[in-house]
Amino acid sequence: MKLIWSPEMATKAFMDTVKFCKLYQGSSAAELISAMAAGWNAKLIVETWAHGGVIATSIGLAVASVHTGGRHVCVVPDEGSRTEYSTAMEKIGMSPEVVVGEPVVVVQGLEVIDFLVVDSRKNEFAQVLKAARFGIRGAVVVCKNANFRATAEFRWRSLFDGGSRRIVRSVFLPVGRGLDIAHVAAGESGSGSNKVGKSRWIKRVDRESGEEFLIRK
């Protein structure tokens, strides 16, 4: 699946995020993520966030959604996190959509996610990735704070290869506190763990009898 990329939109989102995040330490990850979401022209950007989380990444995603004309949804586990997150974002004039609930459950109910950001420090992050529903062109998924977990415990292909989704490419970047990034291609069904493969018929001819056989594969 070919990656559709807009350098111009990525650059604009990057520069705008730099302006918003200049007061935040270690905001380089936010700027990169923002540029990626904008360059991917993401129409549904989803992130998970909880009490005490870094807000710079959220700023970058909000900036990207403005440039793509998309929807930015933040999933938080409780009302306390919702208040903290909304207050921080409102201070800089941004108001993304905030949904309270179990991240796995909420993400399952969101269709055609184009860009997904999760926190590697949270125990459920792998389950959230597996539960995500992607569109026909797939999605870009990002695990932030990747330095906080042992790489041996996480493999992209164990989550997505097989079924209707597969990893096109993945990379670890030592930016900020570590970013694990992957481009996931989705099958025609859009997402999900069960793939219905396309069957095909192959004709075989018996050389001795001359009979023709059709074999379904």
Side-chain angles (χ1 to χ4, degrees), residues 5-6 9-11 13-14 17 30-40 60 64:
W5 182 255
S6 171
M9 198 173 294
T11 301
F14 181 91
T17 305
E31 293 147 5
L32 175 60
I33 291 173
S34 178
M36 291 178 61
W40 178 243

Side-chain angles (χ1 to χ4, degrees), residues 15-28:
M15 296 306 297
D16 284 349
T17 305
V18 169
K19 295 175 184 177
F20 278 109
C21 293
K22 62 184 178 181
L23 299 179
Y24 290 86
Q25 289 186 333
S27 64
S28 57

Side-chain angles (χ1 to χ4, degrees), residues 8 23 28 42-43 65 83 93 105 109 112 127 131 196:
E8 181 180 359
L23 299 179
S28 57
K43 297 305 180 182
S65 69
T83 300
V105 176
V112 195
Q127 286 72 35
V196 179

Side-chain angles (χ1 to χ4, degrees), residues 102-171:
E102 290 293 330
V104 175
V105 176
V106 175
V107 167
Q108 282 179 327
L110 297 172
E111 296 187 4
V112 195
I113 296 174
D114 297 308
F115 200 90
L116 175 63
V117 180
V118 298
D119 191 335
S120 296
R121 294 176 297 181
K122 304 303 179 182
N123 293 332
E124 79 281 1
F125 84 93
Q127 286 72 35
V128 173
L129 293 174
K130 292 178 71 173
R133 299 167 62 85
F134 303 145
I136 191 70
R137 67 172 182 150
V140 173
V141 291
V142 179
C143 292
K144 62 182 182 180
N145 296 315
N147 289 339
F148 287 89
R149 58 170 169 73
T151 55
E153 297 176 356
F154 177 75
R155 293 290 184 272
W156 283 113
R157 298 188 187 282
S158 68
L159 295 178
F160 295 117
D161 274 15
S164 63
R165 301 185 292 186
R166 63 183 178 83
I167 295 295
V168 177
R169 60 174 60 85
S170 63
V171 63

